[in-house]
Amino acid sequence: MKVIYRQAELVNQLLQPLGHSAVVMHPNTWRFRVQWFDTTVPVERRWFHWRWVGKPSMSGIEGCFDSQQELVVVPELWARKYGDQLARLGVTYAIYVQNGYYISKGDPAVLNAAYAGARCVLTISDDASRCVAMAFPGTEERILRVHYSVDAQRFNTHQPKENLITYMPRKLADHSSKVLFFLRNHLPADWRIQAIDGLNEAGVADLMQRSKIFMSFSHFEGCPLPPLEAALCGNQVIGYTGQGAQEYWSPAVFEAVESGNVVGFAQSVLRKIHQLDAAPEFPLALDLIEDLRARYSPAQEKNDMSNFIRTMGLTV
């Protein structure tokens, strides 16, 4: 969601000199408000027309979009519901795939029609591009790889490090609880583990800046953001790549663990603690961090969004 909002905000800035604008819509959660990160993108509240299609909860979008004036971007999870409708209505649209493992959700025939009708398919990683090309032959020439950016003002190495291990508890909670169980009798007394949960973006960045190790429990993700943010804060990152993170998973900072190997995961964390305790100073792979900052920079993101706008038939 953060990526969608930030890129919609950027597209809005790029479109304004052309006399156009970009907004975000939440069709199923009309009163939704983002509270955990700052944003200036307009949020439009538009009533959808409701109709009966097999079951009473299905929504239709006839009359909701002007096919001559509006372009629509739908996330991969909405392609199953709105993609083929947009195609039938003649609305120009793109599908944004941030997770190549979500594109299987829905009726295969409806999904085929949705992806066939899209002017372009945005993908957040090389892995997501591979997934789309495999699932929907014929889309290869319409795939547009884009990058998100990470806020270097927040996710940086400026704070002193503590003997702190952080992780996100929401994904693969069973895996993380098992790793914590196997660590419980071996963690040195001067080290502690803290879950990153219930915080806004500034709070997340503060914990990552102070921690030395980040445990990654990514699961089937397009290009997971938390391990990258942790690395840019100088953490040693241990855990699952979620497949999509393989494009930035360098051994200088990242150590991969086979998904499900929770004992091996705990052992890797303990080995890393021993290495860090034995080191004369905390190692910062500054060359890799700078490379990652450049690869996932605002400049790269802006260039990608400019290409997207041109692909959709506008000029920047």
Side-chain angles (χ1 to χ4, degrees):
M1 186 178 295
K2 183 167 71 172
V3 172
I4 289 174
Y5 266 74
R6 293 284 167 83
Q7 293 186 346
E9 188 175 290
L10 178 54
V11 169
N12 190 46
Q13 295 169 4
L14 292 169
L15 286 176
Q16 285 178 350
L18 304 176
H20 303 292
S21 62
V23 301
V24 169
M25 291 179 59
H26 291 275
N28 276 20
T29 49
W30 195 78
R31 298 183 184 277
F32 178 81
R33 297 287 192 281
V34 167
Q35 297 180 331
W36 58 281
F37 59 88
D38 300 326
T39 180
T40 61
V41 68
V43 177
E44 183 165 324
R45 319 284 172 188
R46 187 180 303 190
W47 288 106
F48 277 24
H49 296 278
W50 295 89
R51 62 185 174 90
W52 295 79
V53 184
K55 50 186 178 180
S57 62
M58 186 70 73
S59 63
I61 58 174
E62 291 87 347
C64 291
F65 297 107
D66 185 338
S67 62
Q68 302 302 311
Q69 298 291 327
E70 294 182 307
L71 310 176
V72 179
V73 183
V74 293
E76 74 285 285
L77 281 173
W78 285 127
R80 59 183 172 176
K81 189 172 185 180
Y82 299 122
D84 67 326
Q85 292 188 58
L86 291 167
R88 290 197 304 271
L89 294 170
V91 178
T92 301
Y93 68 96
I95 299 173
Y96 195 173
V97 178
Q98 290 196 76
N99 192 320
Y101 303 97
Y102 287 167
I103 62 178
S104 62
K105 296 180 181 294
D107 180 270
V110 172
L111 291 171
N112 283 343
Y115 280 82
R119 176 165 293 187
C120 83
V121 180
L122 298 165
T123 57
I124 200 63
S125 66
D126 296 338
D127 184 68
S129 299
R130 181 183 65 167
C131 290
V132 172
M134 182 73 177
F136 303 105
T139 59
E140 294 87 349
E141 297 301 318
R142 289 179 287 124
I143 293 174
L144 180 61
R145 164 68 201 274
V146 298
H147 300 75
Y148 53 60
S149 64
V150 180
D151 185 354
Q153 298 301 312
R154 280 191 165 160
F155 296 92
N156 54 54
T157 59
H158 296 168
Q159 284 206 57
K161 288 294 185 184
E162 303 173 10
N163 288 344
L164 175 63
I165 301 168
T166 53
Y167 72 102
M168 299 280 192
R170 293 182 300 281
K171 288 202 174 181
L172 296 181
D174 183 50
H175 290 229
S176 61
S177 66
K178 284 180 169 57
V179 171
L180 295 181
F181 174 80
F182 288 115
L183 284 171
R184 79 193 193 288
N185 289 327
H186 302 278
L187 197 68
D190 60 341
W191 280 77
R192 63 188 178 93
I193 301 174
Q194 184 169 344
I196 302 176
D197 195 27
L199 301 174
N200 61 17
E201 187 180 41
V204 172
D206 176 70
L207 270 180
M208 286 184 170
Q209 287 172 353
R210 291 188 285 115
S211 67
K212 291 182 177 179
I213 297 173
F214 178 81
M215 299 190 297
S216 172
F217 293 96
S218 300
H219 178 63
F220 283 141
E221 298 191 40
C223 193
L225 187 55
L228 178 60
E229 291 174 333
L232 293 176
C233 289
N235 284 263
Q236 296 289 303
V237 179
I238 298 172
Y240 307 158
T241 68
Q243 300 302 316
Q246 292 184 47
E247 67 178 48
Y248 63 68
W249 208 268
S250 167
V253 167
F254 300 90
E255 180 178 342
V257 175
E258 180 185 6
S259 183
N261 183 8
V262 292
V263 172
F265 199 131
Q267 291 171 333
S268 294
V269 171
L270 293 172
R271 282 196 300 271
K272 184 60 66 177
I273 289 173
H274 177 75
Q275 292 170 7
L276 295 178
D277 282 346
E281 60 182 22
F282 184 76
L284 284 174
L286 294 178
D287 289 344
L288 175 63
I289 289 174
E290 288 307 309
D291 175 68
L292 293 175
R293 287 202 191 287
R295 201 186 315 173
Y296 301 96
S297 67
Q300 178 64 60
E301 187 176 38
K302 182 177 181 180
N303 182 67
D304 291 342
M305 291 301 103
S306 296
N307 289 337
F308 165 60
I309 291 171
R310 284 191 288 269
T311 300
M312 295 299 283
L314 300 173
T315 303
V316 178

